[in-house]
Amino acid sequence: MKRTTTKLADGRELIYFDLDESAERDTVDPRAPEPVDSHPELRLDMATGDWVTIASHRQGRVHHPPTDACPLCPSTGGHHSEIPAAEYEVAVFENRFPSLAGRVGRCEVVCFTPEHGASFADLTEARARLVLDAWTDRTERLSSLPGVEQVYCFENRGAEIGVTLAHPHGQIYAFPFVPPRTAKMIVVADTHRAVTGTNLFEDLLAEARAATSRVVLAGEYWTAFVPYAARWPYEVHLYPHRRVPDLTHLTETERAEFPTMYLDLLRRFDRLFRQDGEVTQAAPTPYISAWHQAPKTGGRELALHLELFTVRRSADKLKYLAGVESGMDSFVNDIAPEDAARRLREAAS
């Protein structure tokens, strides 16, 4: 992998990741500097102890632009995007409209491919591995920044999720605090260790692999399974068999197998509602794909894993977070995890 760092016209960092070691990335951003007045603020919810980010400048961010004005496509003679090069493989840049910035963290955009109409599932295994390497690089470098507590790599796909740019991309948040979900997992994992003497996540993986009714895919180094208490209609967790805290600790053999497993999962999600006589949805399956990594402090019992889930519960129905879920953070799932795993197994090519 070749890594090339440069700057955009307004001073934001842009990093190209290439499989081709001879790739030249010296194109200058020709746009006039137009810095965004972004001053996100962290406020503590005294009732719950959770940090809330106030980022009112994001109201002005680009919203569903036409294809010829997409800010994530390569630049052309008539259109200058966030990526000055006329072509690229994987590109990462500081978000122009960040939720976190300066002393309160950092937000980056990860462009998986220059192809506007593609998706992550369309990538080759080599290109998917390049994205994994980019996630790993950014995890290592962002974790080293002063004040950063946790690095979170994720992808939102689909208008149903709230995506405002159709181009296939993900994001990385470098949090200056430990987010609530991670904080909760730390408490539960520490309690589990104190009570049982074993690691919670190792036990969850062993239990899922033993209960084969919830396993979707099993490789030599990774297993994908539906959790026992899945919150979403179709939710899959992908774990390496060897517990590690974050992406930087994966071995070469673990990295080599990941693209095969992950691309298979994404393609199963896209086939999920095209079977059993269901009407094919008009758009690909919307999903959120989220890497859970241990924070800098307090996460010694946590385990790297990826959580992939969709808000779609059938070909023509979505799972809305209404009163119970949004108001009380108490999930109700309409589909049994064992049934979800069976359908995902049946969604093989």
Side-chain angles (χ1 to χ4, degrees), residues 28-57:
V28 176
D29 184 0
R31 300 174 298 176
E34 294 182 7
V36 175
D37 185 22
S38 58
H39 297 286
E41 177 186 358
L42 290 180
R43 296 187 182 183
L44 183 64
D45 181 344
M46 299 299 291
T48 64
D50 295 342
W51 287 102
V52 177
T53 304
I54 309 299
S56 57
H57 63 280

Side-chain angles (χ1 to χ4, degrees), residues 137-152:
D137 175 274
R138 302 316 299 150
T139 294
E140 180 178 14
R141 293 172 188 271
L142 293 174
S143 294
S144 69
L145 296 179
V148 170
E149 285 295 323
Q150 185 176 27
V151 177
Y152 174 51

Side-chain angles (χ1 to χ4, degrees), residues 18-30:
D18 289 284
L19 292 170
D20 182 2
E21 291 286 345
S22 66
E24 295 293 334
R25 299 300 181 192
D26 53 5
T27 306
V28 176
D29 184 0

Side-chain angles (χ1 to χ4, degrees), residues 8 10 12-14 36 38 57-58 61-62 71-72 82 92-102 106-110 154 164-165 169-173:
L8 294 172
D10 56 13
R12 288 177 294 131
E13 192 172 30
L14 167 66
V36 175
S38 58
H57 63 280
R58 286 173 55 80
R61 67 188 187 274
V62 179
L72 308 184
E82 292 281 63
V92 179
F93 60 88
E94 289 184 74
N95 199 326
R96 181 170 166 77
F97 298 94
S99 298
L100 305 166
R106 174 161 158 150
C107 292
E108 297 183 341
V109 176
V110 184
F154 65 100
T164 58
L165 295 175
H169 72 287
Q171 299 181 63
I172 303 175
Y173 276 30

Side-chain angles (χ1 to χ4, degrees), residues 205-256:
L205 176 59
E207 187 274 336
R209 295 180 70 189
T212 55
S213 61
R214 290 188 287 107
V215 171
V216 178
L217 287 172
E220 185 175 356
Y221 301 102
W222 298 79
T223 291
F225 62 92
V226 177
Y228 175 75
R231 298 180 302 167
W232 298 94
Y234 294 93
E235 176 180 346
V236 175
H237 293 189
L238 179 60
Y239 275 63
H241 295 166
R242 185 179 62 93
R243 181 168 66 94
V244 295
D246 58 45
L247 290 166
T248 69
H249 287 77
L250 291 174
T251 64
E252 175 55 33
T253 52
E254 290 162 343
R255 295 178 190 282

